[in-house]
Amino acid sequence: MRVAVFQSYANGLYTFMFENGEDMIFDEIHPRALKQFDLKHDESYIEKTFKITFVEVPDANDDVIYRIDSLKLVS
């Protein structure tokens, strides 16, 4: 698990900033995690800190997308 701050949801992408200052864009969130935290619609989660578990998933074009598998609200 890594700790990151939720920055935004736009155009189907979720942006988080990690403790080291690195921004990371996620293409998908596991439905279970999204059901728990509706990052698409609930703007109150912007600037909130989460513990995140994520995986790299190859897509049909052999590119890699990042999917969040779990979220835990820290603050």
Side-chain angles (χ1 to χ4, degrees):
M1 268 191 177
R2 292 182 60 188
V3 176
V5 175
F6 178 57
Q7 298 291 299
S8 66
Y9 172 78
N11 301 319
L13 302 173
Y14 305 86
T15 304
F16 284 81
M17 181 181 288
F18 289 94
E19 294 173 306
N20 63 2
E22 171 190 9
D23 282 341
M24 190 162 187
I25 296 173
F26 294 91
D27 300 270
E28 298 178 357
I29 295 184
H30 192 284
R32 174 186 65 235
L34 194 56
K35 184 178 179 180
Q36 192 175 16
F37 302 103
D38 186 5
L39 302 180
K40 283 184 178 182
H41 304 104
D42 190 344
E43 293 184 5
S44 70
Y45 290 119
I46 293 174
E47 298 299 323
K48 298 293 184 188
T49 303
F50 290 87
K51 287 186 179 179
I52 300 174
T53 302
F54 64 92
V55 295
E56 296 178 4
V57 180
D59 70 4
N61 299 323
D62 288 329
D63 293 326
V64 172
I65 63 170
Y66 295 96
R67 181 184 72 214
I68 295 174
D69 279 344
S70 69
L71 290 169
K72 181 178 179 183
L73 186 62
V74 175
S75 69

Coordinates of all heavy atoms in Angstrom, one line a residue:
M1 N 0.8 -1.2 0.0 CA 0.0 0.0 0.0 C 0.9 1.2 0.0 O 1.9 1.3 0.7 CB -0.9 0.0 1.2 CG -2.2 -0.6 1.0 SD -3.3 -0.2 2.4 CE -4.7 -1.0 1.8
R2 N 0.4 2.2 -0.8 CA 1.1 3.5 -0.8 C 0.2 4.6 -0.4 O -1.1 4.4 -0.6 CB 1.7 3.8 -2.2 CG 2.8 2.8 -2.6 CD 3.4 3.1 -3.9 NE 4.0 4.4 -4.0 CZ 4.4 5.0 -5.1 NH1 4.3 4.3 -6.2 NH2 4.9 6.2 -5.1
V3 N 0.7 5.7 0.2 CA -0.1 6.8 0.6 C -0.1 7.9 -0.5 O 1.0 8.2 -1.0 CB 0.4 7.3 1.9 CG1 -0.4 8.6 2.3 CG2 0.3 6.3 3.0
A4 N -1.3 8.4 -0.8 CA -1.4 9.4 -1.9 C -2.6 10.3 -1.6 O -3.6 9.9 -1.0 CB -1.5 8.8 -3.2
V5 N -2.6 11.5 -2.1 CA -3.7 12.5 -2.0 C -4.4 12.5 -3.3 O -3.8 12.6 -4.4 CB -3.1 13.9 -1.7 CG1 -4.2 14.9 -1.7 CG2 -2.4 13.8 -0.4
F6 N -5.7 12.4 -3.2 CA -6.6 12.4 -4.4 C -6.6 13.8 -4.9 O -7.0 14.8 -4.2 CB -8.0 11.9 -4.1 CG -8.9 12.0 -5.3 CD1 -8.7 11.3 -6.4 CD2 -10.1 12.7 -5.2 CE1 -9.6 11.4 -7.5 CE2 -11.0 12.8 -6.2 CZ -10.7 12.1 -7.4
Q7 N -6.3 14.0 -6.2 CA -6.2 15.4 -6.8 C -7.4 15.7 -7.6 O -8.0 16.8 -7.5 CB -5.0 15.5 -7.7 CG -3.7 15.3 -6.9 CD -3.4 16.5 -6.0 OE1 -3.3 17.6 -6.4 NE2 -3.3 16.2 -4.7
S8 N -7.8 14.7 -8.5 CA -9.0 15.0 -9.4 C -9.5 13.8 -10.1 O -8.8 12.8 -10.2 CB -8.5 16.1 -10.4 OG -7.5 15.5 -11.3
Y9 N -10.7 14.0 -10.7 CA -11.2 13.0 -11.6 C -11.7 13.8 -12.8 O -12.5 14.8 -12.7 CB -12.4 12.3 -11.0 CG -13.2 11.4 -12.1 CD1 -12.6 10.2 -12.5 CD2 -14.3 11.9 -12.7 CE1 -13.3 9.5 -13.5 CE2 -14.9 11.2 -13.7 CZ -14.4 9.9 -14.1 OH -15.0 9.2 -15.1
A10 N -11.1 13.5 -14.0 CA -11.5 14.2 -15.2 C -11.3 13.3 -16.4 O -10.3 12.6 -16.5 CB -10.6 15.5 -15.3
N11 N -12.2 13.4 -17.3 CA -12.1 12.6 -18.6 C -11.9 11.1 -18.3 O -11.1 10.5 -19.1 CB -11.0 13.2 -19.5 CG -11.3 14.7 -19.8 OD1 -12.5 15.0 -20.1 ND2 -10.3 15.5 -19.8
G12 N -12.4 10.6 -17.3 CA -12.3 9.2 -17.0 C -11.0 8.8 -16.3 O -10.8 7.6 -16.1
L13 N -10.2 9.7 -15.9 CA -8.9 9.4 -15.2 C -8.9 10.0 -13.8 O -9.4 11.1 -13.6 CB -7.8 10.0 -16.1 CG -7.7 9.6 -17.5 CD1 -6.7 10.4 -18.3 CD2 -7.4 8.1 -17.6
Y14 N -8.3 9.2 -12.9 CA -8.1 9.6 -11.5 C -6.7 10.0 -11.3 O -5.8 9.2 -11.6 CB -8.5 8.4 -10.6 CG -9.9 7.9 -10.9 CD1 -10.1 6.9 -11.9 CD2 -11.0 8.3 -10.2 CE1 -11.4 6.4 -12.1 CE2 -12.3 7.8 -10.4 CZ -12.4 6.8 -11.4 OH -13.7 6.3 -11.6
T15 N -6.5 11.2 -10.7 CA -5.1 11.6 -10.5 C -4.8 11.7 -9.0 O -5.6 12.3 -8.2 CB -4.8 13.0 -11.1 OG1 -5.1 13.0 -12.5 CG2 -3.4 13.4 -10.9
F16 N -3.7 11.1 -8.6 CA -3.3 11.1 -7.2 C -1.8 11.6 -7.1 O -1.1 11.3 -8.0 CB -3.3 9.6 -6.6 CG -4.7 9.1 -6.2 CD1 -5.5 8.6 -7.2 CD2 -5.2 9.2 -4.9 CE1 -6.8 8.1 -6.9 CE2 -6.4 8.7 -4.6 CZ -7.2 8.2 -5.6
M17 N -1.5 12.2 -6.0 CA -0.1 12.6 -5.8 C 0.4 11.9 -4.6 O -0.2 11.9 -3.5 CB 0.0 14.1 -5.5 CG 1.4 14.6 -5.3 SD 1.6 16.3 -4.9 CE 1.3 17.0 -6.5
F18 N 1.5 11.2 -4.8 CA 2.2 10.4 -3.8 C 3.1 11.2 -2.9 O 3.4 12.4 -3.2 CB 2.9 9.2 -4.4 CG 2.0 8.2 -5.0 CD1 1.7 8.2 -6.3 CD2 1.5 7.2 -4.2 CE1 0.8 7.3 -6.8 CE2 0.6 6.3 -4.7 CZ 0.3 6.3 -6.0
E19 N 3.5 10.7 -1.8 CA 4.3 11.4 -0.8 C 5.6 12.0 -1.3 O 6.1 13.0 -0.9 CB 4.7 10.4 0.4 CG 3.5 10.0 1.2 CD 3.8 8.9 2.2 OE1 4.4 7.9 1.8 OE2 3.5 9.1 3.4
N20 N 6.1 11.3 -2.4 CA 7.4 11.8 -3.0 C 7.1 12.9 -4.0 O 8.1 13.3 -4.7 CB 8.1 10.7 -3.6 CG 7.4 10.0 -4.8 OD1 6.3 10.4 -5.1 ND2 8.0 9.0 -5.3
G21 N 5.9 13.4 -4.1 CA 5.6 14.4 -5.1 C 5.2 14.0 -6.5 O 4.9 14.8 -7.3
E22 N 5.3 12.7 -6.7 CA 5.0 12.1 -8.0 C 3.5 12.0 -8.2 O 2.7 11.5 -7.4 CB 5.6 10.7 -8.1 CG 5.2 9.9 -9.3 CD 5.6 8.4 -9.2 OE1 6.0 8.0 -8.1 OE2 5.4 7.7 -10.2
D23 N 3.0 12.5 -9.3 CA 1.6 12.4 -9.7 C 1.5 11.1 -10.5 O 2.3 10.7 -11.3 CB 1.2 13.5 -10.7 CG 0.9 14.8 -10.0 OD1 0.6 14.8 -8.7 OD2 0.9 15.9 -10.6
M24 N 0.3 10.4 -10.3 CA 0.1 9.2 -11.0 C -1.4 9.2 -11.4 O -2.3 9.6 -10.7 CB 0.4 8.0 -10.1 CG 0.3 6.7 -10.9 SD 1.2 5.4 -9.9 CE 1.2 4.1 -11.0
I25 N -1.6 8.8 -12.7 CA -2.9 8.8 -13.3 C -3.4 7.3 -13.4 O -2.7 6.5 -13.9 CB -2.9 9.5 -14.6 CG1 -2.6 10.9 -14.5 CG2 -4.3 9.3 -15.3 CD1 -2.4 11.7 -15.7
F26 N -4.6 7.1 -12.9 CA -5.2 5.8 -12.9 C -6.4 5.7 -13.9 O -7.2 6.6 -13.8 CB -5.7 5.4 -11.5 CG -4.6 5.2 -10.5 CD1 -4.1 6.3 -9.7 CD2 -3.9 4.0 -10.4 CE1 -3.1 6.1 -8.8 CE2 -2.8 3.9 -9.5 CZ -2.4 4.9 -8.7
D27 N -6.4 4.7 -14.7 CA -7.4 4.6 -15.7 C -8.7 3.9 -15.1 O -9.8 4.2 -15.6 CB -6.9 3.7 -16.9 CG -5.7 4.3 -17.6 OD1 -5.9 5.1 -18.5 OD2 -4.6 4.1 -17.1
E28 N -8.5 3.1 -14.1 CA -9.6 2.3 -13.6 C -9.5 2.2 -12.1 O -8.4 2.3 -11.5 CB -9.6 0.9 -14.1 CG -9.7 0.7 -15.6 CD -9.6 -0.7 -16.1 OE1 -9.4 -1.6 -15.2 OE2 -9.8 -0.9 -17.3
I29 N -10.7 2.0 -11.5 CA -10.8 1.7 -10.0 C -11.7 0.5 -9.9 O -12.7 0.4 -10.6 CB -11.4 2.8 -9.2 CG1 -10.4 4.0 -9.2 CG2 -11.6 2.4 -7.8 CD1 -10.9 5.2 -8.4
H30 N -11.2 -0.5 -9.2 CA -12.0 -1.7 -8.9 C -13.4 -1.3 -8.5 O -13.5 -0.4 -7.6 CB -11.4 -2.6 -7.9 CG -12.0 -3.9 -7.8 ND1 -13.2 -4.2 -7.2 CD2 -11.5 -5.1 -8.3 CE1 -13.4 -5.5 -7.3 NE2 -12.5 -6.1 -8.0
P31 N -14.5 -1.9 -9.0 CA -15.9 -1.5 -8.6 C -16.1 -1.5 -7.1 O -16.8 -0.6 -6.6 CB -16.7 -2.5 -9.3 CG -15.9 -2.9 -10.5 CD -14.5 -2.9 -10.0
R32 N -15.5 -2.4 -6.4 CA -15.7 -2.5 -4.9 C -15.1 -1.2 -4.3 O -15.8 -0.6 -3.4 CB -14.9 -3.7 -4.4 CG -14.9 -3.9 -2.9 CD -14.0 -5.0 -2.5 NE -12.7 -4.8 -2.8 CZ -11.9 -5.7 -3.6 NH1 -12.4 -6.8 -4.0 NH2 -10.7 -5.4 -3.9
A33 N -14.0 -0.7 -4.7 CA -13.4 0.5 -4.1 C -14.2 1.7 -4.5 O -14.4 2.6 -3.7 CB -11.9 0.6 -4.6
L34 N -14.6 1.7 -5.8 CA -15.4 2.9 -6.2 C -16.8 3.0 -5.5 O -17.3 4.1 -5.3 CB -15.6 2.8 -7.8 CG -16.1 4.1 -8.4 CD1 -15.2 5.3 -8.1 CD2 -16.2 3.9 -9.9
K35 N -17.3 1.8 -5.2 CA -18.6 1.8 -4.5 C -18.4 2.4 -3.1 O -19.2 3.1 -2.5 CB -19.1 0.4 -4.4 CG -20.5 0.3 -3.7 CD -21.0 -1.2 -3.7 CE -22.3 -1.3 -3.0 NZ -22.8 -2.6 -3.0
Q36 N -17.2 2.1 -2.5 CA -16.9 2.6 -1.2 C -16.6 4.1 -1.2 O -17.0 4.9 -0.3 CB -15.7 1.8 -0.6 CG -15.5 2.1 0.8 CD -14.3 1.2 1.3 OE1 -13.6 0.6 0.5 NE2 -14.2 1.0 2.6
F37 N -15.9 4.6 -2.2 CA -15.5 6.0 -2.3 C -15.9 6.4 -3.7 O -15.1 6.1 -4.7 CB -14.0 6.2 -2.1 CG -13.6 5.7 -0.7 CD1 -12.9 4.5 -0.6 CD2 -13.9 6.5 0.4 CE1 -12.5 4.1 0.7 CE2 -13.5 6.0 1.7 CZ -12.8 4.8 1.8
D38 N -16.9 7.2 -3.9 CA -17.4 7.6 -5.2 C -16.6 8.8 -5.7 O -17.0 10.0 -5.7 CB -18.9 8.0 -5.2 CG -19.4 8.3 -6.6 OD1 -18.7 8.1 -7.6 OD2 -20.6 8.7 -6.7
L39 N -15.3 8.6 -6.1 CA -14.4 9.6 -6.6 C -14.9 10.3 -7.8 O -14.5 11.4 -8.1 CB -13.0 9.1 -6.7 CG -12.4 8.4 -5.5 CD1 -11.0 7.9 -5.9 CD2 -12.4 9.3 -4.3
K40 N -15.8 9.6 -8.6 CA -16.3 10.2 -9.8 C -17.2 11.4 -9.5 O -17.1 12.4 -10.3 CB -17.1 9.2 -10.6 CG -16.3 8.2 -11.4 CD -17.2 7.4 -12.2 CE -16.4 6.4 -13.0 NZ -17.3 5.5 -13.9
H41 N -18.0 11.3 -8.5 CA -19.0 12.3 -8.3 C -18.9 13.2 -7.0 O -19.4 14.2 -6.9 CB -20.4 11.7 -8.3 CG -20.7 10.9 -9.6 ND1 -20.6 9.5 -9.6 CD2 -20.9 11.3 -10.8 CE1 -20.8 9.2 -10.9 NE2 -21.1 10.2 -11.6
D42 N -18.2 12.6 -6.0 CA -18.2 13.3 -4.7 C -16.9 14.1 -4.6 O -15.8 13.5 -4.3 CB -18.2 12.2 -3.6 CG -18.4 12.8 -2.2 OD1 -18.2 14.0 -2.1 OD2 -18.8 12.1 -1.3
E43 N -17.0 15.4 -4.8 CA -15.8 16.2 -4.8 C -15.2 16.5 -3.4 O -14.2 17.0 -3.2 CB -16.1 17.6 -5.4 CG -16.4 17.4 -6.9 CD -16.6 18.8 -7.6 OE1 -16.4 19.8 -7.0 OE2 -16.9 18.7 -8.8
S44 N -15.9 16.0 -2.4 CA -15.4 16.1 -1.0 C -14.2 15.3 -0.8 O -13.4 15.5 0.2 CB -16.5 15.8 0.0 OG -16.7 14.4 0.1
Y45 N -13.9 14.3 -1.7 CA -12.7 13.5 -1.5 C -11.4 14.2 -2.1 O -10.3 13.7 -1.9 CB -12.9 12.1 -2.2 CG -13.9 11.3 -1.5 CD1 -15.0 10.8 -2.1 CD2 -13.6 10.9 -0.1 CE1 -15.9 10.0 -1.4 CE2 -14.5 10.1 0.5 CZ -15.7 9.7 -0.1 OH -16.6 8.9 0.6
I46 N -11.6 15.3 -2.8 CA -10.4 16.0 -3.4 C -9.6 16.5 -2.2 O -10.1 17.0 -1.3 CB -10.9 17.1 -4.3 CG1 -11.5 16.5 -5.6 CG2 -9.7 18.0 -4.7 CD1 -12.2 17.5 -6.5
E47 N -8.3 16.3 -2.3 CA -7.3 16.7 -1.3 C -7.3 15.8 -0.1 O -6.7 16.1 0.9 CB -7.4 18.1 -0.9 CG -7.1 19.1 -2.1 CD -5.7 19.0 -2.7 OE1 -4.8 18.7 -1.9 OE2 -5.6 19.1 -3.9
K48 N -8.0 14.7 -0.1 CA -8.1 13.7 1.0 C -6.9 12.7 0.7 O -6.6 12.3 -0.4 CB -9.4 13.0 1.1 CG -10.6 13.9 1.4 CD -10.5 14.5 2.7 CE -11.7 15.3 3.0 NZ -11.7 16.0 4.2
T49 N -6.4 12.2 1.8 CA -5.3 11.2 1.8 C -5.8 9.8 1.9 O -6.7 9.5 2.7 CB -4.3 11.5 2.9 OG1 -3.8 12.8 2.8 CG2 -3.1 10.5 2.8
F50 N -5.3 8.9 1.0 CA -5.8 7.5 0.9 C -4.5 6.6 1.0 O -3.5 7.0 0.5 CB -6.5 7.2 -0.4 CG -7.9 7.8 -0.5 CD1 -8.0 9.1 -1.0 CD2 -9.0 7.1 -0.1 CE1 -9.3 9.7 -1.1 CE2 -10.3 7.7 -0.2 CZ -10.4 9.0 -0.7
K51 N -4.7 5.4 1.5 CA -3.8 4.3 1.3 C -4.3 3.6 0.0 O -5.5 3.2 0.0 CB -3.7 3.4 2.5 CG -3.0 4.0 3.6 CD -2.8 3.0 4.7 CE -2.1 3.6 5.9 NZ -1.9 2.6 7.0
I52 N -3.4 3.3 -0.9 CA -3.9 2.8 -2.2 C -3.1 1.5 -2.5 O -1.9 1.5 -2.3 CB -3.6 3.8 -3.4 CG1 -4.3 5.1 -3.1 CG2 -3.9 3.2 -4.7 CD1 -3.9 6.2 -4.1
T53 N -3.8 0.5 -3.0 CA -3.2 -0.6 -3.6 C -3.6 -0.6 -5.1 O -4.7 -0.4 -5.4 CB -3.7 -1.9 -3.0 OG1 -3.4 -1.9 -1.6 CG2 -3.0 -3.2 -3.6
F54 N -2.6 -0.8 -6.0 CA -2.9 -0.7 -7.4 C -2.0 -1.7 -8.1 O -1.0 -2.3 -7.6 CB -2.6 0.7 -8.0 CG -1.2 1.2 -7.9 CD1 -0.4 1.0 -9.0 CD2 -0.8 1.9 -6.8 CE1 0.9 1.4 -8.9 CE2 0.5 2.3 -6.7 CZ 1.4 2.1 -7.8
V55 N -2.4 -2.0 -9.4 CA -1.7 -3.0 -10.2 C -1.6 -2.4 -11.6 O -2.4 -1.5 -12.0 CB -2.5 -4.3 -10.3 CG1 -2.5 -5.0 -9.0 CG2 -3.9 -4.2 -10.9
E56 N -0.6 -2.9 -12.3 CA -0.5 -2.5 -13.8 C -1.2 -3.6 -14.6 O -1.0 -4.8 -14.3 CB 1.0 -2.5 -14.1 CG 1.8 -1.5 -13.5 CD 3.3 -1.5 -13.8 OE1 3.7 -2.3 -14.7 OE2 4.1 -0.7 -13.3
V57 N -2.0 -3.2 -15.5 CA -2.7 -4.2 -16.3 C -2.4 -3.9 -17.8 O -2.6 -2.8 -18.3 CB -4.3 -4.0 -16.1 CG1 -5.1 -5.0 -16.9 CG2 -4.6 -4.1 -14.6
P58 N -2.0 -4.9 -18.5 CA -1.8 -4.7 -20.0 C -3.1 -4.6 -20.7 O -4.1 -5.3 -20.4 CB -1.0 -5.9 -20.4 CG -1.2 -6.9 -19.4 CD -1.6 -6.2 -18.1
D59 N -3.2 -3.6 -21.6 CA -4.4 -3.5 -22.4 C -4.3 -4.2 -23.8 O -3.3 -4.9 -24.0 CB -4.9 -2.1 -22.6 CG -4.0 -1.3 -23.5 OD1 -3.1 -1.8 -24.1 OD2 -4.3 -0.1 -23.6
A60 N -5.3 -4.1 -24.6 CA -5.3 -4.8 -25.9 C -4.1 -4.4 -26.8 O -3.7 -5.1 -27.7 CB -6.6 -4.6 -26.6
N61 N -3.6 -3.2 -26.6 CA -2.5 -2.7 -27.5 C -1.1 -2.9 -26.8 O -0.2 -2.3 -27.3 CB -2.7 -1.2 -27.7 CG -4.0 -0.9 -28.4 OD1 -4.4 -1.6 -29.3 ND2 -4.6 0.2 -28.1
D62 N -1.1 -3.7 -25.8 CA 0.2 -4.0 -25.1 C 0.7 -2.8 -24.3 O 1.9 -2.7 -24.0 CB 1.3 -4.6 -26.0 CG 1.0 -6.0 -26.3 OD1 0.3 -6.7 -25.5 OD2 1.4 -6.4 -27.4
D63 N -0.2 -1.8 -24.1 CA 0.2 -0.7 -23.3 C -0.2 -1.1 -21.8 O -0.9 -2.0 -21.6 CB -0.6 0.6 -23.7 CG -0.2 1.1 -25.0 OD1 1.0 1.0 -25.4 OD2 -1.1 1.7 -25.7
V64 N 0.3 -0.3 -20.9 CA 0.0 -0.6 -19.5 C -1.0 0.5 -19.0 O -0.7 1.6 -19.2 CB 1.3 -0.7 -18.6 CG1 0.9 -0.8 -17.2 CG2 2.1 -1.8 -19.1
I65 N -2.0 0.0 -18.3 CA -2.9 1.0 -17.6 C -2.8 0.6 -16.1 O -2.4 -0.5 -15.7 CB -4.3 0.9 -18.0 CG1 -4.9 -0.5 -17.8 CG2 -4.5 1.3 -19.5 CD1 -6.5 -0.5 -18.0
Y66 N -3.1 1.6 -15.3 CA -3.0 1.4 -13.8 C -4.4 1.4 -13.3 O -5.2 2.2 -13.6 CB -2.2 2.6 -13.2 CG -0.8 2.6 -13.6 CD1 -0.3 3.4 -14.6 CD2 0.2 1.7 -13.0 CE1 1.0 3.4 -15.1 CE2 1.5 1.7 -13.4 CZ 1.9 2.5 -14.4 OH 3.2 2.5 -14.8
R67 N -4.6 0.3 -12.4 CA -6.0 0.1 -11.8 C -5.8 0.1 -10.3 O -5.0 -0.6 -9.8 CB -6.6 -1.2 -12.3 CG -8.0 -1.4 -11.7 CD -8.5 -2.7 -12.0 NE -7.8 -3.8 -11.3 CZ -7.6 -5.0 -11.8 NH1 -8.0 -5.3 -13.0 NH2 -6.9 -5.9 -11.1
I68 N -6.6 0.9 -9.6 CA -6.6 0.9 -8.2 C -7.5 -0.3 -7.7 O -8.6 -0.4 -8.2 CB -7.2 2.2 -7.6 CG1 -6.3 3.4 -8.0 CG2 -7.5 2.1 -6.1 CD1 -6.9 4.7 -7.6
D69 N -6.9 -1.1 -6.9 CA -7.6 -2.3 -6.4 C -8.3 -2.0 -5.0 O -9.4 -2.6 -4.8 CB -6.7 -3.5 -6.3 CG -6.6 -4.2 -7.6 OD1 -7.3 -4.0 -8.6 OD2 -5.6 -5.0 -7.7
S70 N -7.7 -1.2 -4.2 CA -8.3 -0.9 -2.9 C -7.9 0.5 -2.5 O -6.8 1.0 -2.8 CB -7.9 -1.9 -1.9 OG -6.5 -1.8 -1.5
L71 N -8.8 1.1 -1.7 CA -8.6 2.4 -1.1 C -9.0 2.4 0.3 O -10.0 1.8 0.7 CB -9.5 3.5 -1.8 CG -9.3 3.9 -3.3 CD1 -10.4 4.7 -3.8 CD2 -8.0 4.7 -3.3
K72 N -8.2 3.1 1.1 CA -8.5 3.3 2.5 C -8.3 4.7 2.9 O -7.2 5.3 2.7 CB -7.7 2.4 3.4 CG -8.0 2.5 4.9 CD -7.2 1.6 5.7 CE -7.5 1.8 7.2 NZ -6.7 1.0 8.1
L73 N -9.3 5.4 3.3 CA -9.3 6.8 3.7 C -8.4 7.0 4.9 O -8.7 6.4 5.9 CB -10.7 7.4 3.9 CG -10.8 8.9 4.1 CD1 -10.3 9.7 2.9 CD2 -12.2 9.3 4.4
V74 N -7.4 7.9 4.8 CA -6.5 8.2 5.9 C -7.0 9.5 6.6 O -7.1 9.6 7.8 CB -5.0 8.3 5.5 CG1 -4.2 8.7 6.6 CG2 -4.6 6.9 4.9
S75 N -7.2 10.5 5.8 CA -7.6 11.8 6.3 C -8.4 12.6 5.3 O -8.2 12.4 4.1 CB -6.5 12.6 6.8 OG -5.7 13.1 5.7

